[in-house]
Each structure stands twice: as C-alpha cells, then as structure tokens.
Amino acid sequence: FPIIRAQISPDFVPDAKFYKVEAILRPWRIQQVSSALLKMGIRGVTVSDVRGFGAQGGLTERQAGSEFSEDTFVAKVKMEIVVSKDQVEGVIAKIIEEARTGEIGDGKIFLIPISDVIRVRTGERGEKAERMVGGHADMSSVLSTS
Ligand code: ATP
Ligand code: GLN
C-alpha cells in the first residue's frame, strides 16, 4: 500500500499544514530579525537564551567589546516560529537576510512539521488557532483584494 510504504521509508518527511521554523542565531542579531519578521506580519515568535557548540566551537562572540561566552559553549538565541506551510520559505529567507554576517557562527535553521496548533484561550485548533489577527495571512489578503 503506497501510503504505508512512504511512511516506513527512511527519507519520508511528513507533510503538514504548519511548520516550526527553529533558528539558532547570534544574540545581537535577534532584534533586527524579529523587527523584520514583525513587519511582514509574523507576530507569533518564541525566543529562548541557549548555549551551543557548532563549527564556531568555543570561540567567543564579541560585539561592542563585550563577551557573550562562558566555558566552551557560545551564547545563542533560539527563535521558534510556527507558520503555515506557504509562509515557511518567506520566513526562512527573511531570517537569513537579517541574521547573516558571512562569518562562522551565523547559526542554523531547522524545519519541523507541526501536527496541530491549539489556542488555549478559545480551544480553537488548526488553521483557526494558527492564524493571528493582523498577521501575515491578513496582510496578504488585504494586498490581494485591493
Ligand atoms: P490569544 O489571542 O489568546 O492571545 P495568541 O495566538 O495571540 O492567542 P498568545 O497567547 O498571545 O497567542 O501566545 C502566547 C505565547 O505563545 C507567545 O508569547 C509566544 O511565545 C508563543 N506563540 C504564539 N504564537 C506563536 C507562533 N505562531 N509561533 C511561535 N510562538 C508562538
Ligand atoms: N500564519 C499566521 C498568520 O498568517 C502567523 C503566524 C505567526 O505569526 N507566527 O496569521
């Protein structure tokens, strides 16, 4: 049965309506990234302070003379943004545009399929829960109907 075969294949990637864009970025670029996302109607964003180790290794992040690292891990910020499938590539492109310096340590982006979104206040699920008033979808529909 084709569907079952696809699901047990090692390169099977589940298709989803929503994806989480998870970006590990330089802390001093976060303001720039989040204000650019807000301008495009991306209003739901979660950030956490994290520490990591990549090709940059334990090399200290330096900005305006202050050091952000302790021991061998470098301070990074993790941004998590759940968006509808059609918004994924736009969000990724914007993050790269705003976060990239070209130097080692610019970070990485992971894309994770999301099975559902539930708004706690209303109990809404799926598209209703994922949509935000004045969000990217609203901005695009205003543009396309005017
Ligand atoms: P409500 O209308 O009930 O306020 P909401 O959709 O605006 O619902 P909040 O309750 O304001 O959601 O969201 C709480 C927190 O959840 C936010 O501060 C943010 O950290 C996180 N969050 C909300 N939406 C998203 C999203 N699409 N992606 C990532 N994080 C989100
Ligand atoms: N996809 C939502 C919308 O268009 C926005 C999601 C988000 O801001 N993370 O309303």
Side-chain angles (χ1 to χ4, degrees), residues 41-45 80-84 87 130-138:
I42 301 301
R43 321 183 57 193
V45 176
E80 296 171 273
I81 309 148
V82 173
V83 294
S84 61
Q87 297 171 348
E130 193 274 337
R131 281 285 186 94
M132 299 183 76
V133 176
H136 188 72
D138 276 357

Side-chain angles (χ1 to χ4, degrees), residues 7-142:
Q7 288 181 356
I8 58 175
S9 148
D11 23 67
F12 173 70
V13 179
D15 190 37
K17 280 188 173 170
F18 316 110
Y19 288 82
K20 181 163 77 172
V21 178
E22 184 175 298
I24 315 290
L25 304 171
R26 298 185 193 275
W28 55 276
R29 281 292 177 116
I30 294 305
Q31 204 56 58
Q32 196 177 321
V33 173
S34 58
S35 69
L37 290 174
L38 191 59
K39 276 192 197 120
M40 65 188 276
I42 301 301
R43 321 183 57 193
V45 176
T46 301
V47 296
S48 331
D49 291 319
V50 296
R51 297 189 312 144
F53 202 99
Q56 186 184 9
L59 290 182
T60 303
E61 188 88 60
R62 278 172 208 279
Q63 174 70 2
S66 51
E67 294 192 353
F68 286 88
S69 108
E70 286 173 49
D71 53 65
T72 59
F73 291 95
V74 183
K76 298 285 178 186
V77 169
K78 177 167 74 177
M79 288 188 105
E80 296 171 273
I81 309 148
V82 173
V83 294
S84 61
K85 186 178 191 172
D86 60 305
Q87 297 171 348
V88 166
E89 292 305 325
V91 167
I92 290 173
K94 186 58 75 178
I95 292 172
I96 293 172
E97 185 186 326
E98 302 297 337
R100 200 186 106 89
T101 70
E103 302 294 318
I104 283 172
D106 273 351
K108 212 161 253 186
I109 300 172
F110 306 108
L111 191 55
I112 302 139
I114 293 294
S115 54
D116 205 357
V117 178
I118 299 114
R119 179 173 276 122
V120 172
R121 177 171 60 84
T122 57
E124 292 166 308
R125 301 183 75 123
E127 207 171 306
K128 279 190 174 165
E130 193 274 337
R131 281 285 186 94
M132 299 183 76
V133 176
H136 188 72
D138 276 357
M139 284 173 66
S140 318
S141 66
V142 167

